């Protein structure tokens, strides 16, 4: 068995138990318990390779080859490769961690081949990419590019009311520091993210690796339906102000709007208050995730859903408040970098778009970025069933190695 496969298996085996539910699936949320284990895993992998470890102002992790963070920011022309380590609730093992493991192993491959990089290279893990705890996707990279107001970020609260600021403090990080990291990003010539494909295009193509062309515009909106709590056994139907009814209509409206306009819309998360079997609910908080290849289609989907929600709420005497939690404009990855990546990976490699958001998409606002997708046989993601074959994961490492060799020459 190749040395690379052995190393892949070791790193993977170390990650498998961290944040894993006994029935399978992962709960790895920013600044929580599993996150602390993941941070120390990252730190020890960096130390084992003699890479200089750094946790930046936003909690993103960096492991540098050829740069000492105690000297200040990296020099211009530095390269970074990585992804994220957090998951959606009950998420899969590959979404995120595959990109971080691949980056560590690509550096091993470069060193093993005697490569001497002419510019610093870093392995990076961005924090809270899924937004599963604090609600904003790509929190770490959005803060670094300056897209998210630090004060708003500090005040974000998780389901139990813990603020990002308090969660960071409890984990030994200083929330006062969060914010734009312009100098660091200005020194990056490229960021490359390896990621399990979240779809079946590569499976259909019979290809182990793909290169990303772009990311669909997408966003997430919070809808709050406010009604009147009452007794399920005595409140007359005609006198109820039941927030669950317009909520239910809105869920179906999302599916209709996506179908009619040709995009995607999902309501996969809702919280009923007080969530009691024998009470008419007081309120419902629900989250809409909408995505479409083109901005106007996304706008139409969201507008339709909100209009249906508002009319349903009015019909039921229920209030509706809506809030855009995060929004990502269409991303077209840097064309020149994509060309270099395709040449390094191997001409003929499939080039594919995606509806999934990524840190590489957020960073693209400030840094040339590119993504390599690794085949996912079922295409399923954000699920315990998410997987990639080891042989394809290793192919992803080899492809990343070739890309980093070219970029750091
Ligand atoms: O939601 C997404 O597209 C990504 O997995 N954060
Ligand atoms: Mn994800
Ligand atoms: Mn991801």
């Amino acid at each position: 068995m190749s040395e690379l496969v052995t190393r892949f298996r070791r790193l993977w085996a170390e990650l498998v138990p961290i944040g894993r539910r006994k029935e399978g699936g992962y709960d790895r949320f920013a600044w929580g318990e599993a996150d602390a284990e993941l941070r120390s895993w990252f730190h020890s992998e960096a130390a084992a390779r003699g890479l200089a470890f750094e946790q930046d102002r936003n909690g993103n992790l960096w492991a540098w080859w050829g740069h000492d963070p105690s000297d200040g920011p990296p020099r211009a022309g530095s390269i970074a490769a990585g992804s994220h380590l957090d998951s959606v609730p009950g998420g899969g093992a590959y979404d995120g961690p595959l990109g971080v493991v691949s980056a560590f192993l690509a550096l091993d491959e470069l060193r093993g081949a005697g490569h001497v990089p002419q510019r610093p290279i870093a392995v990076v893990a961005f924090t809270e990419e899924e937004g599963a705890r604090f609600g904003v996707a790509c929190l770490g990279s959005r803060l670094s590019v300056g897209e998210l107001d630090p004060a708003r970020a500090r005040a974000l609260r998780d389901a139990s009311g813990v603020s990002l600021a308090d969660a960071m403090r409890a984990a030994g990080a200083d929330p006062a520091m969060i914010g734009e990291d312009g100098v660091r990003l200005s020194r990056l010539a490229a960021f490359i993210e390896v990621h399990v494909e979240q779809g079946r295009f590569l499976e259909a193509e019979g290809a182990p690796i793909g290169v990303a062309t772009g990311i669909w515009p997408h966003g997430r909106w919070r809808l709050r339906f406010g009604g009147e709590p009452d007794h399920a056994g005595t409140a007359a139907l005609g006198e109820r102000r039941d927030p669950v009814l317009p909520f239910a209509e809105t869920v179906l409206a999302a599916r209709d709007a996506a179908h009619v306009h040709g995009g995607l819309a999902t309501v996969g998360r809702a919280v009923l208050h007080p969530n009691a079997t024998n009470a008419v609910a007081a309120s419902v908080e629900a989250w809409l995730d909408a995505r479409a290849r083109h901005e106007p289609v996304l706008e139409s989907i969201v507008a339709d859903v909100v209009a249906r929600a508002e009319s349903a709420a009015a019909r039921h005497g229920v209030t509706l408040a809506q809030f855009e939690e995060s929004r990502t404009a269409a991303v077209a990855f840097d064309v020149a970098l994509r060309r270099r990546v395709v040449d390094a990976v191997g001409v003929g490699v499939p080039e594919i778009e995606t509806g999934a958001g990524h840190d590489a998409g957020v960073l693209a606002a400030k840094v040339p970025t590119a993504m390599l997708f690794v085949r996912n046989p079922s295409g399923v993601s954000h699920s315990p069933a998410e997987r990639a074959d080891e042989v394809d994961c290793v192919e992803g490492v080899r492809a990343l190695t070739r890309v980093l060799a070219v970029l750091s020459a």
Side-chain angles (χ1 to χ4, degrees):
M1 180 193 324
S2 83
E3 171 65 10
L4 175 53
V5 170
T6 308
R7 258 192 265 113
F8 178 84
R9 286 185 181 171
R10 178 180 69 76
L11 261 63
W12 207 250
E14 287 167 359
L15 282 178
V16 162
I18 302 177
R20 189 175 185 281
R21 294 179 178 184
K22 59 184 180 318
E23 69 272 20
Y26 287 88
D27 289 329
R28 294 165 168 170
F29 310 133
W31 308 111
E33 208 180 301
D35 187 64
E37 286 181 62
L38 291 164
R39 287 178 187 276
S40 64
W41 171 83
F42 185 99
H43 189 282
S44 58
E45 288 305 321
R49 293 168 173 78
L51 303 175
F53 172 80
E54 183 186 17
Q55 179 169 303
D56 72 20
R57 65 178 49 168
N58 296 313
N60 306 310
L61 306 177
W62 301 73
W64 286 100
W65 181 14
H67 165 60
D68 180 347
S70 58
D71 296 343
R75 67 176 172 78
S78 296
I79 308 288
S83 188
H84 60 95
L85 293 169
D86 65 306
S87 72
V88 297
Y94 294 82
D95 176 352
L98 180 62
V100 179
V101 165
S102 299
F104 274 122
L105 293 175
L107 262 58
D108 294 345
E109 290 295 287
L110 289 171
R111 290 168 120 170
H115 180 78
V116 179
Q118 301 309 303
R119 54 188 71 222
I121 306 179
V123 173
V124 58
F126 287 98
T127 182
E128 184 74 345
E129 189 276 345
E130 298 293 0
R133 181 173 181 188
F134 294 103
V136 174
C138 298
L139 180 68
S141 52
R142 254 182 241 276
L143 280 166
S144 295
V145 299
E147 197 195 300
L148 185 63
D149 169 44
R152 177 185 164 215
R154 275 188 283 272
L156 292 171
R157 291 187 180 279
D158 68 9
S160 47
V162 176
S163 69
L164 173 67
D166 288 341
M168 289 183 73
R169 266 190 286 271
D174 179 0
M177 295 298 291
I178 67 173
E180 185 163 6
D181 212 345
V183 172
R184 175 192 301 274
L185 298 187
S186 70
R187 304 295 173 79
L188 291 181
F191 169 68
I192 313 290
E193 181 168 3
V194 170
H195 205 285
V196 63
E197 187 193 352
Q198 294 159 312
R200 299 188 70 250
F201 186 89
L202 293 176
E203 176 65 16
E205 289 284 298
I209 304 295
V211 174
T213 56
I215 296 175
W216 286 10
H218 62 281
R220 49 176 83 175
W221 288 262
R222 187 173 71 240
L223 303 172
R224 190 182 187 287
F225 299 88
E228 285 293 325
D230 206 331
H231 195 299
T234 55
L237 294 184
E239 289 164 19
R240 294 182 180 195
R241 292 148 62 91
D242 183 349
V244 176
L245 298 176
F247 159 62
E249 282 193 44
T250 303
V251 174
L252 297 173
R255 177 57 178 257
D256 292 348
H259 179 71
V260 161
H261 293 289
L264 297 172
T266 313
V267 177
R269 178 186 174 202
V271 179
L272 277 67
H273 298 278
N275 207 29
T277 305
N278 55 353
V280 175
S283 66
V284 179
E285 280 212 302
W287 284 262
L288 169 70
D289 178 309
R291 318 201 184 198
R293 177 173 286 114
H294 305 295
E295 202 72 49
V297 175
L298 177 62
E299 295 290 342
S300 307
I301 292 171
V302 175
D304 272 12
V305 177
V306 170
R308 289 276 298 277
E310 282 169 344
S311 82
R315 253 181 291 116
H316 292 282
V318 165
T319 60
L320 171 63
Q322 51 163 310
F323 181 74
E324 181 179 283
E325 276 200 341
S326 68
R327 179 79 180 258
T328 306
V331 172
F333 287 112
D334 184 279
V335 175
L337 179 60
R338 179 152 66 95
R339 291 273 58 83
R340 295 184 73 189
V341 168
V342 167
D343 291 348
V345 172
V347 180
V349 61
E351 297 185 56
I352 50 184
E353 64 179 13
T354 181
H358 298 284
D359 291 307
V362 172
L363 278 188
K366 297 281 170 105
V367 178
T369 65
M371 290 192 74
L372 293 175
F373 290 127
V374 172
R375 174 168 42 193
N376 174 339
S378 70
V380 169
S381 183
H382 286 186
S383 152
E386 174 190 271
R387 69 176 189 81
D389 293 335
E390 180 183 84
V391 62
D392 290 344
C393 294
V394 170
E395 205 40 51
V397 176
R398 292 201 176 99
L400 179 61
T401 304
R402 293 197 292 274
V403 169
L404 294 181
V406 165
L407 295 181
S408 63

